[in-house]
Amino acid sequence: MTVSELSPWPSGTDPAAHLCDEEQRLVTLASYAPSELFGDAELARLARFAAHLCDTPSATVTLVEAERQIFLASEGVTVSETPRSTSFCAHAMQKGELLIVPDATQDPRFAEFRLVTGEEHLRFYAGAPLISAEGAPLGALCVFDIVARPEGLTPVQREGLSVLAEAVKRRLLAHRQAGEATDAIRVSAQRLQSMIDSVPDIAWSAGPGARFDYVNARWRERTGLAAPRHIEDWRAVIHPDEFERTRPKFVDAIQQAKPFEDEWRMRQGDGSYRWVLSRAVPSTDDPETARWFGTLTDIDDATRLSKERELLAGELAHRIKNIFSVVMGLIALHARGDETHAVFAEALTDTIRALSRAQDFTLQINRIEEKDLKGLLDALMEPYGAPGANAVKISGDRVSFGARAATPLALVFHEMATNAAKYGALSEAEGTVDIRVSREVESATITWQETGGPTTQPPQSEGFGSRLMRMAIENQLGGAIESSWQATGLRAVITLPLGRLSD
């Protein structure tokens, strides 16, 4: 028998010409991870039924590798592999259609195979090829017997073996796709893990009931401690002054499945503390099933800078209030003993005292009790109303604002009132300012209308105060201002989104 007769390649062709095809076939075959399919129950049932259908003692699901053929599932076979050089299935898969060998001793392709001449005594073989979706031959579903069968298979058996081979291919493909999906998930998880570990924040997750099950690498880098498992484990890293305060807030968030946010000092590995912003959100609104995902963001530098600025602002406010106090003292001193001057001094002192209160709003030193925009405007505009007059009118809808919006609001209207007193309607005895607040679905509109003042005209250039006011409206409050210098006085319309006002 010649080498070409033993070859799995078609007769009259050069095997070398199929080298690339064979390489691609082996790559495709490897993608099925054959070793993981050993003992697959579904393949075993298919092999068993193939033997019953064809009335043979043996059947195998065979994949043909470069040097061997392996039996993923079998019936009546005790070995798991044989050399490829004596593989009937290698021929079956290359034939591309059902291969039937009635008597191997009479077939020159197989007569000298050890399986035929040896103690295995193989005589009859029938194999349906297993071809991948890419068209690569993988192996065969075959049945065989030690007794020759000149009549081969009946039409029903031939069709049945082909149908079973299709079922085998579907099983192999499903396993391959599952493996690819698993690999993709593994790669994605590795990438996600790398990304989470590389971010500067500490990230964590917890199951229902705050059972912590994950923290990223930053935790150990920052704290030097093992990952926390329960809420009480956090006591080791949260400053004692803040733990008893923040713990009930977090427990309440867990019990109600609502977002959590707080700031506290976190103990570092070297024993020092740094301020962090702690945030957590639930995956659902059901406390019994919600998983939790949280972050710890280092805000120590920003917090210290903010405290320094607050200290500086407090010192500035204190000095300004001292100046107001000195001025009021001087007024009282010069008016002492003069009844005419005393009345004027009292009115002037009240005005300066109102200016001091407006300055408090501007620097946000005192806690703002009235969170209504009209209340803030009342405080800011109080210094500009003459006794017994109604120079400033404030009306309209109630619009609430948050602490963060207070300072830019105070800066804006303090600047506008100052300009009105210097150059606008309030610089004249009969001048008035009408301020109207209108609340809409998503925004608030403040209309500032001056009347009775000098003729207005647009400024030649934008001064520092105007620039500061525009930046506060646009950048800090996310709004817009439109100004028109009319013959009757300045008209300005300020539009502010309610979402930014409530911050």
Side-chain angles (χ1 to χ4, degrees):
M1 182 172 292
T2 65
V3 173
S4 63
E5 290 175 325
L6 294 175
S7 171
W9 308 111
S11 176
T13 61
D14 181 5
H18 292 268
L19 180 59
C20 292
D21 291 340
E22 174 65 0
E23 289 177 348
Q24 183 59 50
R25 186 189 76 81
L26 293 175
V27 169
T28 303
L29 179 63
S31 69
Y32 285 86
S35 61
E36 298 179 11
L37 281 162
F38 279 117
D40 184 87
E42 185 172 345
L43 292 179
R45 287 195 298 270
L46 291 170
R48 186 180 308 114
F49 186 69
H52 293 337
L53 174 68
C54 298
D55 195 21
T56 59
S58 305
T60 65
V61 175
T62 305
L63 295 184
V64 180
E65 297 184 339
E67 302 295 335
R68 62 174 183 166
Q69 63 176 3
I70 58 176
F71 307 137
L72 297 181
S74 62
E75 175 73 12
V77 177
T78 58
V79 296
S80 60
E81 63 179 72
T82 60
R84 176 174 174 167
S85 60
T86 60
S87 172
F88 283 71
C89 291
H91 288 263
M93 72 179 188
Q94 292 295 340
K95 192 172 186 295
E97 60 185 16
L98 198 63
L99 172 64
I100 297 178
V101 181
D103 187 348
T105 62
Q106 303 302 312
D107 192 318
R109 295 172 297 179
F110 310 110
E112 299 300 325
F113 276 17
R114 182 180 60 80
L115 294 175
V116 177
T117 61
E119 60 183 11
E120 292 84 356
H121 203 69
L122 190 149
R123 292 293 181 268
F124 172 72
Y125 172 90
L130 302 175
I131 308 299
S132 74
E134 300 86 353
L138 305 177
L141 169 63
C142 69
V143 296
F144 46 94
D145 199 348
I146 59 173
V147 178
R149 188 181 296 185
E151 71 282 4
L153 295 178
T154 67
V156 172
Q157 291 171 332
R158 293 169 66 94
E159 181 181 3
L161 190 61
S162 296
V163 170
L164 291 174
E166 291 297 324
V168 170
K169 286 193 292 184
R170 285 194 295 271
R171 176 58 181 165
L172 295 178
L173 179 60
H175 178 79
R176 175 188 180 182
Q177 291 173 337
E180 291 173 346
T182 300
D183 290 342
I185 292 173
R186 184 183 303 111
V187 170
S188 178
Q190 290 172 347
R191 289 175 179 171
L192 180 61
Q193 182 72 55
S194 298
M195 181 189 72
I196 293 176
D197 284 341
S198 65
V199 298
D201 291 0
I202 292 174
W204 57 264
S205 67
R211 294 186 296 274
F212 296 88
D213 50 25
Y214 171 80
V215 291
N216 67 348
R218 295 294 181 191
W219 172 272
R220 186 173 289 275
E221 291 178 10
R222 298 280 177 83
T223 69
L225 301 176
R229 296 302 177 191
H230 306 283
I231 294 178
E232 192 62 26
D233 295 341
W234 288 76
R235 186 184 293 273
V237 297
I238 300 178
H239 194 283
D241 292 348
E242 280 111 38
F243 181 79
E244 297 302 334
R245 170 184 59 78
T246 196
R247 185 181 187 278
K249 291 177 62 177
F250 183 64
V251 170
D252 181 63
I254 294 292
Q255 292 174 345
Q256 299 188 47
K258 64 181 183 181
F260 165 82
E261 181 174 318
D262 201 4
E263 296 178 7
W264 37 264
R265 285 171 288 177
M266 181 177 185
R267 189 179 189 278
Q268 308 296 298
D270 61 3
S272 64
Y273 284 90
R274 293 183 65 84
W275 282 97
V276 298
L277 173 61
S278 176
R279 288 172 170 163
V281 294
S283 59
T284 71
D285 57 4
D286 179 10
E288 298 297 323
T289 61
R291 285 190 54 79
W292 286 84
F293 303 94
T295 58
L296 302 176
T297 304
D298 189 304
I299 58 170
D300 192 75
D301 293 340
T303 300
R304 294 181 187 277
L305 179 60
S306 176
K307 290 183 180 298
E308 290 175 1
R309 287 176 175 173
E310 288 180 4
L311 182 63
L312 180 60
E315 178 64 21
L316 177 61
H318 177 70
R319 291 179 182 274
I320 292 174
K321 290 177 75 68
N322 283 343
I323 293 174
F324 285 141
S325 297
V326 170
V327 172
M328 287 188 289
L330 290 173
I331 293 172
L333 179 64
H334 286 284
R336 187 176 302 164
D338 188 325
E339 185 175 345
T340 302
H341 288 172
V343 174
F344 172 74
E346 182 180 357
L348 184 58
T349 300
D350 288 342
T351 299
I352 294 175
R353 188 174 291 111
L355 274 175
S356 177
R357 184 181 177 190
Q359 188 69 29
D360 282 344
F361 270 103
T362 303
L363 294 177
Q364 202 176 338
I365 301 303
N366 295 337
R367 180 178 295 276
I368 300 172
E369 297 178 358
E370 178 56 71
K371 297 296 179 65
D372 177 35
L373 182 56
K374 289 170 60 181
L376 174 61
L377 290 171
D378 283 337
L380 293 172
M381 301 307 297
E382 183 180 352
Y384 303 97
N390 195 14
V392 180
K393 300 177 182 179
I394 302 172
S395 62
D397 302 327
R398 178 181 178 84
V399 176
S400 299
F401 65 92
R404 292 183 181 179
T407 295
L409 284 171
L411 285 172
V412 168
F413 291 104
H414 184 66
E415 180 66 22
M416 294 185 72
T418 301
N419 289 339
K422 289 181 179 179
Y423 318 110
L426 296 182
S427 66
E428 300 286 347
E430 301 300 323
T432 62
V433 175
D434 188 357
I435 306 173
R436 179 165 183 79
V437 180
S438 299
R439 179 188 176 96
E440 299 174 10
V441 177
E442 297 183 352
S443 63
T445 301
I446 302 99
T447 304
W448 175 286
Q449 179 68 63
E450 298 182 22
T451 56
T455 302
T456 63
Q457 56 183 341
Q460 298 297 317
S461 60
E462 186 179 45
F464 173 77
S466 297
R467 186 164 61 253
L468 182 65
M469 181 176 65
R470 178 175 53 79
M471 291 175 62
I473 292 174
E474 295 177 356
N475 299 345
Q476 293 180 268
L477 297 173
I481 180 172
E482 294 183 3
S483 301
S484 58
W485 284 263
Q486 304 170 350
T488 55
L490 170 66
R491 177 181 174 85
V493 178
I494 301 172
T495 304
L496 303 173
L498 294 178
R500 295 289 286 272
L501 282 175
S502 63
D503 288 347

